[in-house]
Amino acid sequence: MSIALPSVSLATGAATISPVALFLQADIVVKIVMLGLLLASIWTWAIIISFGVKLSRTRKGCDQFEKDFWRTEDIDRFFEGKSKSDLPAAKVMAAGVTEWRRSTAARAIDRDGTRDRLATAMSSASASEIDQLSDRLNILATVGSVAPFVGLFGTVWGIMRAFTSIAAEQNSSLAVVAPGIAEALFATAIGLFAAIPAVIAYNRFSHGINRLEAKLARFADGFYAMLSRELEAQK
């Protein structure tokens, strides 16, 4: 009977090694680390979902906008109907049309100056839209780079606690060391759980932003060429 007791105790101890039990048994410092990483993970997934939906809608909206734009025969009428759109392509078009109207309002038109101002206005509008769209990506980059080190801090603290338990009880058995090591490894796991999706999402979204920026640049170049030809026809 006395031989069976240790095995029952070990089985009971193994059964209590669950995420909730590890958190409840952890040191206050490790608990703070775990909670911080868990909140960072929730925040990361919220950004991933919302930004993914926004980027997809923006890309599809710009595609449709450009198709409609190149099919139209009256740019002024199209501009009046789309001037209030929040799409990046619409903002680039608005910047070009606005600068065109300002530069061609005078009797003597400076063609070279008008071309330079058109290029600058549309390029600035494109850069501004890309900056606004990618504003929250820095959060993903921060979580992806910092979360593993925060989890590592929890790991180091848990191992220190394990060694402290050994010194306090003068016993290096697995029953004494296991809780501290388990909570340390759990903190590392939470850190990786927060960091890995953030890094993957950041890379994918950065690629999507770069593609959209290139698309806006091509649209601006095409519109600039159209306005340049119209400028040459001005007397």
Side-chain angles (χ1 to χ4, degrees):
M1 188 69 176
S2 60
I3 297 177
L5 286 176
S7 62
V8 174
S9 178
L10 289 175
T12 304
T16 59
I17 299 180
S18 65
V20 176
L22 288 175
F23 174 78
L24 294 177
Q25 297 171 7
D27 183 76
I28 183 63
V29 175
V30 182
K31 284 182 179 179
I32 294 174
V33 170
M34 289 180 181
L35 286 175
L37 291 173
L38 183 60
L39 291 176
S41 179
I42 295 174
W43 193 15
T44 296
W45 279 106
I47 293 175
I48 290 173
I49 295 172
S50 62
F51 191 87
V53 172
K54 182 178 180 180
L55 183 60
S56 177
R57 289 179 178 176
T58 300
R59 185 170 57 248
K60 291 179 181 178
C62 287
D63 290 341
Q64 187 61 47
F65 179 89
E66 291 188 31
K67 290 179 181 178
D68 296 339
F69 176 83
W70 295 118
R71 281 200 296 255
T72 188
E73 297 180 355
D74 190 341
I75 299 297
D76 290 329
R77 181 179 297 178
F78 185 83
F79 171 72
E80 297 301 330
K82 301 289 186 178
S83 60
K84 296 182 179 180
S85 175
D86 292 330
L87 291 172
K91 296 296 181 65
V92 172
M93 180 197 68
V97 172
T98 301
E99 184 57 43
W100 167 265
R101 290 178 176 178
R102 290 175 180 175
S103 298
T104 58
R107 294 183 178 179
I109 300 176
D110 182 3
R111 287 178 171 81
D112 292 335
T114 299
R115 289 188 178 95
D116 291 340
R117 288 190 292 271
L118 285 171
T120 301
M122 288 190 287
S123 176
S124 298
S126 176
S128 177
E129 291 301 308
I130 292 298
D131 286 342
Q132 292 181 10
L133 187 61
S134 60
D135 181 58
R136 301 178 70 183
L137 286 184
N138 64 327
I139 299 176
L140 296 180
T142 301
V143 172
S145 59
V146 173
F149 294 100
V150 176
L152 182 61
F153 171 76
T155 302
V156 172
W157 192 273
I159 293 176
M160 289 172 56
R161 182 166 176 256
F163 282 112
T164 302
S165 300
I166 293 175
E169 300 189 17
Q170 298 293 320
N171 186 356
S172 59
S173 65
L174 185 61
V176 175
V177 180
I181 294 179
E183 70 186 43
L185 296 177
F186 187 51
T188 304
I190 297 178
L192 294 176
F193 181 76
I196 292 174
V199 172
I200 295 175
Y202 176 80
N203 291 332
R204 292 301 303 166
F205 290 153
S206 295
H207 177 67
I209 289 292
N210 291 336
R211 290 182 60 189
L212 180 61
E213 185 177 11
K215 189 175 184 62
L216 288 178
R218 290 192 297 269
F219 172 71
D221 289 342
F223 190 33
Y224 173 83
M226 177 190 296
L227 295 177
S228 181
R229 288 191 297 269
E230 182 69 22
L231 188 64
E232 291 177 357
Q234 295 286 337
K235 294 183 180 180

